[in-house]
Amino acid sequence: MTTFVDRVELHVAAGNGGHGCASVHREKFKPLGGPDGGNGGRGGDVTLVVDQSVTTLLDYHHSPHRKATNGQPGAGDNRSGKDGQDLVLPVPDGTVVLDKQGNVLADLVGEGTTYVAGQGGRGGLGNAALASARRKAPGFALLGVPGESGDIVLELKTVADVALVGYPSAGKSSLISVLSAAKPKIADYPFTTLVPNLGVVTAGSTVYTIADVPGLIPGASQGKGLGLEFLRHVERCSVLVHVLDTATLESDRDPVSDLDIIEEELKQYGGLDDRPRIVVLNKIDIPDGQELADMIRPELEERGYRVFEASAVARTGLKELSFALAGIVAQARAAKPKEEATRIVIRPKAVDDAGFTVTFDQVNEVYRVRGEKPERWIRQTDFNNDEAVGYLADRLNRLGVEDALMKAGARTGDGVAIGPEENAVVFDWEPTMMAGAEMLGRRGEDHRLEAPRPAAQRRRDRDAERDEADQEFKEFGPF
């Protein structure tokens, strides 16, 4: 049964915005009391948050589909819909977020670091919010915007100060068990360690973390064995420790060749040339191991390595090793730039920024309009409502889409597509589109509200007849 997962593909979907409501207030003796449709609620976001209590991505391996709740639609009597609940997904410290193409979207390091993986959709406006002096009683409302959805990849890169690298059964897990309080699985057969082990070491006033990288063998950087799966865990470490087995029973291996092979794999993986190296000659408690350590130590020191002899069984050489690692870690921490609070930079858009582009698609022979506002307005429009379509036409015209199409060479009857190619709204362009639905008059007006009541109309008719009679009396005199 899988207990450790450090790479998953996650399918996230933010909540959709709730639809606005088109409603007219009604009560006794006042059947048309004006628009009172409420706005739709906002859809919930999908947010990744670093949680120190989480150490694996196992939950997302078993449940890769995550969706936030939708916003509720608006209702009459100016009642707005409830916002959707945000979905917070805890991830381990050191999680990297990538897209399907491998591009890094976020590097989540530090408790509480967040990343919005899916933005919730905006709620649609009700007809009460759309009412204005010219549009007194809109007979339509805006639809809610769908939330963002897509696939992301989560990769865990262990946040450790020291990484132990070496052949299987070189004694890395044994060293961690005696240097720290970690209790890894230890056995005398290859690939005992199937997941990285992490331990905390205290040396004087310095506290640092140490991790081992399992499964490094020749060809690991190309995917052989388990090495490629776990090499990412050494990327954040400040120092690399080569653990060499001086008591190996394999006749075709020796500590120096093991070191050269591991170094070649690290070089092929890339990005680790600047990390300091330390060599630990392990298992010197065995007589043959001590003799071999004495033979190869001068050669390793000539190469520039700091060499330590240690034995996890006899617990010799551990104190010197732990304090040496503490010194290197302390230097690396001091060399790092101080972290500053994130500065909030506001970059307002230029005044003359149109916010959309118009290009001619020669393959489909349509003029394609792309932009955040036009595409959002398209998603918010109920195309079964002529008044809503006319309102959309007015918005596009005010934004300048009509003028941009004319400048691009569009003529009456040419196809116009708004939105991405796979999900665009296509229509035949009419330059008079700015007039909208001509039979409706001005957008959103209800002529019943402007018509006078019958009694008032009869009074006006009588006054008009009296004025006409008075005018005839002045011109022609009494009959």
Side-chain angles (χ1 to χ4, degrees):
M1 179 177 178
T2 303
T3 58
F4 180 86
V5 175
D6 62 351
R7 189 180 191 278
V8 296
E9 182 175 331
L10 195 61
H11 313 278
V12 297
N16 300 328
H19 299 329
C21 176
S23 173
V24 176
H25 181 71
R26 291 177 174 85
E27 60 182 83
K28 191 175 182 179
F29 304 118
K30 196 175 183 181
L32 298 174
D36 67 347
N39 302 332
R42 178 188 62 84
D45 298 336
V46 179
T47 306
L48 306 178
V49 180
V50 174
D51 188 344
Q52 295 288 357
S53 63
V54 179
T55 59
T56 178
L57 301 173
L58 181 63
D59 290 344
Y60 309 121
H61 172 73
H62 293 306
S63 302
H65 296 271
R66 300 300 176 105
K67 187 180 188 306
T69 57
N70 299 330
Q72 298 298 314
D77 201 16
N78 293 305
R79 290 174 294 175
S80 296
K82 183 180 179 181
D83 291 342
Q85 187 175 2
D86 294 339
L87 179 62
V88 179
L89 304 177
V91 296
D93 191 5
T95 300
V96 179
V97 186
L98 307 98
D99 59 15
K100 292 296 292 286
Q101 290 72 37
N103 302 314
V104 176
L105 302 177
D107 192 354
L108 306 180
V109 178
E111 176 73 18
T113 304
T114 61
Y115 172 72
V116 179
Q119 188 78 36
R122 180 183 301 186
L125 297 179
N127 64 342
L130 296 172
S132 63
R134 294 188 56 189
R135 190 186 304 109
K136 296 181 180 180
F140 67 98
L142 299 184
L143 304 179
V145 178
E148 295 179 348
S149 62
D151 300 335
I152 58 175
V153 177
L154 303 183
E155 284 189 353
L156 175 59
K157 296 181 180 180
T158 305
V159 181
D161 299 299
V162 179
L164 303 183
V165 295
Y167 259 75
S169 297
K172 301 185 295 298
S173 298
S174 300
L175 283 178
I176 286 185
S177 66
V178 296
L179 287 173
S180 67
K183 302 298 180 184
K185 180 180 179 181
I186 300 173
D188 58 354
Y189 55 88
F191 298 108
T192 304
T193 304
L194 299 179
V195 300
N197 295 310
L198 192 66
V200 180
V201 182
T202 301
S205 59
T206 304
V207 179
Y208 58 92
T209 54
I210 184 170
D212 71 337
V213 181
L216 288 187
I217 59 176
S221 59
Q222 281 74 41
K224 187 176 181 180
L226 302 176
L228 183 61
E229 185 175 353
F230 297 116
L231 269 173
R232 69 174 69 96
H233 293 278
V234 306
E235 292 185 21
R236 302 186 190 276
C237 299
S238 302
V239 55
L240 301 180
V241 178
H242 284 281
V243 181
L244 303 181
D245 186 359
T246 60
T248 179
L249 300 178
E250 300 180 30
S251 58
D252 58 341
R253 283 180 49 199
D254 65 85
V256 177
S257 62
D258 288 354
L259 173 65
D260 294 337
I261 291 173
I262 298 301
E263 276 293 334
E264 180 63 24
E265 296 303 321
L266 295 176
K267 181 180 179 181
Q268 293 294 329
Y269 186 76
L272 302 171
D273 295 337
D274 60 335
R275 310 299 164 85
R277 265 79 161 166
I278 284 182
V279 173
V280 175
L281 301 177
N282 196 24
K283 303 181 181 180
I284 61 171
D285 56 293
I286 300 176
D288 293 341
Q290 182 63 64
E291 294 178 3
L292 183 58
D294 294 337
M295 292 176 54
I296 64 175
R297 179 166 185 163
E299 180 181 353
L300 297 176
E301 290 178 343
E302 288 180 2
R303 295 189 182 187
Y305 292 109
R306 294 181 61 183
V307 181
F308 293 85
E309 298 179 3
S311 171
V313 175
R315 296 178 180 266
T316 58
L318 301 179
K319 184 176 181 181
E320 296 81 358
L321 175 61
S322 63
F323 276 88
L325 294 175
I328 298 176
V329 170
Q331 293 178 2
R333 292 175 179 174
K336 288 183 179 180
K338 294 183 179 180
E339 296 184 359
E340 298 181 357
T342 303
R343 299 177 60 186
I344 299 176
V345 180
I346 300 177
R347 297 183 175 89
K349 294 183 178 180
V351 177
D352 59 347
D353 186 7
F356 67 92
T357 58
V358 176
T359 57
F360 182 68
D361 187 350
Q362 296 183 353
V363 177
N364 300 305
E365 296 184 348
V366 295
Y367 289 88
R368 193 169 298 279
V369 180
R370 296 300 309 272
E372 190 269 335
K373 283 186 177 180
E375 293 179 24
R376 187 180 77 242
W377 293 345
I378 285 290
R379 294 193 296 268
Q380 289 181 310
T381 301
D382 180 8
F383 287 94
N384 294 322
N385 188 310
D386 291 338
E387 192 177 351
V389 175
Y391 176 67
L392 170 65
D394 285 347
R395 299 179 87 181
L396 295 175
N397 184 36
R398 288 194 301 269
L399 187 63
V401 175
E402 288 268 345
D403 296 336
L405 287 171
M406 291 181 180
K407 292 179 181 178
R411 298 181 179 180
T412 302
D414 288 345
V416 175
I418 301 180
E421 184 174 352
E422 63 277 4
N423 188 24
V425 175
V426 183
F427 57 90
D428 293 334
W429 184 55
E430 295 290 341
T432 57
M433 188 178 177
M434 65 186 71
E438 291 81 359
M439 300 304 295
L440 294 176
R442 291 181 294 181
R443 301 282 183 263
E445 292 188 352
D446 192 332
H447 298 290
R448 296 173 295 176
L449 298 180
E450 297 181 356
R453 290 182 293 180
Q457 185 63 42
R458 289 195 297 268
R459 186 167 57 252
R460 292 177 185 176
D461 293 341
R462 289 196 300 268
D463 292 341
E465 293 175 359
R466 188 182 302 110
D467 293 340
E468 184 178 357
D470 292 341
Q471 185 66 24
E472 292 179 353
F473 178 80
K474 292 179 182 179
E475 293 181 359
F476 304 105
F479 294 100

